[in-house]
Amino acid sequence: MPTASANLIEDNTTIITVDSTNLRFIPSDVTIEEGQTVRFFWSGQALPHNAVEENGVFDSGEPERNVDYSFTFERGMNGTYEFVCEPHAAFGMVGTITVTPLPPEEPP
């Protein structure tokens, strides 16, 4: 499965797009560190999509054909986050973000 490393841009942001033809997030599984941002970005899609975390941690809003939504996983938010495109979840349009912990902070 693809990982986020190929989509990491300079400012510690991982970009997740959509494949409307196959109703998939690209990549569908990413691994990042605390403090990094995930950006859901698509434009001009034939079908409207969104990205909603199953426990409400993040939500890109109503399904849209053009989405530019970012969420930063702060220190202490390590764990696994599953998300769906609400209108296409039944078709398998789901994804997982795994957030690894940062090393402990050095005392001053």
Side-chain angles (χ1 to χ4, degrees), residues 9-108:
I9 56 177
E10 308 80 46
D11 63 353
N12 283 332
T13 299
T14 298
I15 298 175
I16 297 176
T17 62
V18 295
D19 173 354
S20 282
T21 304
N22 297 307
L23 297 176
R24 298 286 183 257
F25 289 104
I26 302 174
S28 60
D29 296 299
V30 298
T31 299
I32 62 171
E33 288 185 333
E34 293 171 333
Q36 292 183 323
T37 299
V38 173
R39 179 180 178 198
F40 295 91
F41 180 79
W42 47 89
S43 175
Q45 296 296 310
L47 299 171
H49 304 287
N50 66 353
V52 178
E53 198 275 333
E54 67 179 1
N55 295 310
V57 172
F58 61 82
D59 184 338
S60 69
E62 292 298 315
E64 300 284 344
R65 289 179 172 85
N66 301 302
V67 169
D68 189 353
Y69 170 79
S70 295
F71 183 83
T72 301
F73 291 86
E74 302 295 338
R75 183 178 283 276
M77 293 185 74
N78 61 298
T80 302
Y81 298 86
E82 296 190 13
F83 61 95
V84 301
C85 172
E86 290 175 315
H88 304 116
F91 297 100
M93 193 166 182
V94 299
T96 303
I97 299 169
T98 302
V99 182
T100 61
L102 287 172
E105 291 181 325
E106 297 284 326

